[in-house]
Amino acid sequence: MHRPSLRTLAAAAATTLGLTVTGCGATTTGTPASAGYPLTVADCGRDVTIDSAPQRVLTIGTAAVELLDAAGASDRIVARTGEFGAPLPADLKNPPSDDLITDPSDPTTEEIIAADPDLVLGYGLFNADAQQLADTGIALLNVQAECGHDGGSSASPATLSTVSDDVRRLGTVFSTSSTADAAADALDQRVSDARRDTTSGSGTGRTAAWVYYFSSQDPLSAY
């Protein structure tokens, strides 16, 4: 069972700031979306080639849904998995239907293939085989705030800029950069304003910590 990191930095940042963006400081490489496909994007230390703008996406976790909504591509979602009953934010611009939830937990290879996506976006695979998915032509992208999840990557620690960078990255992948860049810019501005208020002494002077748990059997965690 995975740790509940999707409800840590990325998801909590979006909720706390009142935005519909969640998840990395990965940068896009290769050809810009406006010049066409294929294009290559960095993803947790590896390069992923996208042959064409994805039209059918399976999401794993709520953060993937929030990122796609911020990037203007939530209408491409055909299946939702791995949300474990967590609700989506109420202020999503284009929330996907709950009817698209095909598995509340981590999907298997068979469940993913049955949904017939051309791309999977989420926090990684636990019950599915990445190579089998690749063999069927399904691309896999990670929420970039999850790159260091379970010690599986040497990625730098996620920050709030990780969230806005990932929104921009998805805008490139889905050819929705105008929407994605606007959402990312809005988040960056709100973070900048909050930081300025804190350092100038005009803020409340209060600090915050997030406390969470994954299930009643797991210990309480904080960060």
Side-chain angles (χ1 to χ4, degrees):
M1 180 176 292
H2 65 281
R3 296 197 309 270
S5 54
L6 281 181
R7 284 178 286 282
T8 58
L9 177 66
T15 302
T16 302
L17 293 172
L19 295 178
T20 60
V21 293
T22 324
C24 155
T27 57
T28 301
T29 62
T31 309
S34 60
Y37 299 80
L39 63 86
T40 300
V41 294
D43 188 79
C44 296
R46 66 190 181 104
D47 287 339
V48 176
T49 298
I50 308 296
D51 293 327
S52 60
Q55 300 300 317
R56 296 179 57 82
V57 182
L58 179 144
T59 57
I60 305 176
T62 58
V65 177
E66 295 179 67
L67 278 168
L68 288 172
D69 185 75
S74 58
D75 60 334
R76 317 284 179 94
I77 298 173
V78 297
R80 293 164 53 190
T81 66
E83 298 178 16
F84 293 90
L88 297 176
D91 57 352
L92 294 183
K93 294 179 181 178
N94 187 25
S97 169
D98 286 343
D99 293 339
L100 298 178
I101 299 175
T102 60
D103 191 332
S105 58
D106 293 320
T108 64
T109 303
E110 293 74 18
E111 288 170 333
I112 293 175
I113 292 176
D116 192 29
D118 45 28
L119 185 143
V120 173
L121 174 68
Y123 50 71
L125 301 176
F126 289 83
N127 296 325
D129 187 291
Q131 186 57 55
Q132 290 184 30
L133 297 180
D135 291 343
T136 63
I138 300 174
L140 174 64
L141 290 179
N142 290 279
V143 170
Q144 293 298 280
E146 296 287 347
C147 286
H149 184 57
D150 288 340
S153 170
S154 59
S156 300
T159 68
L160 289 176
S161 65
T162 301
V163 179
S164 54
D165 286 348
D166 207 13
V167 173
R168 293 188 178 92
R169 181 184 72 133
L170 291 175
T172 301
V173 168
F174 289 91
S175 289
T176 57
S177 288
S178 59
T179 299
D181 290 349
D185 289 346
L187 174 58
D188 287 343
Q189 186 60 54
R190 295 194 69 170
V191 172
S192 177
D193 291 345
R195 183 175 290 116
R196 184 174 58 252
D197 289 345
T198 301
T199 57
S200 67
S202 61
T204 63
R206 293 179 294 181
T207 59
W210 282 294
V211 179
Y212 62 93
Y213 65 93
F214 185 59
S215 76
S216 59
Q217 286 75 44
D218 290 329
L220 194 67
S221 301
Y223 64 94

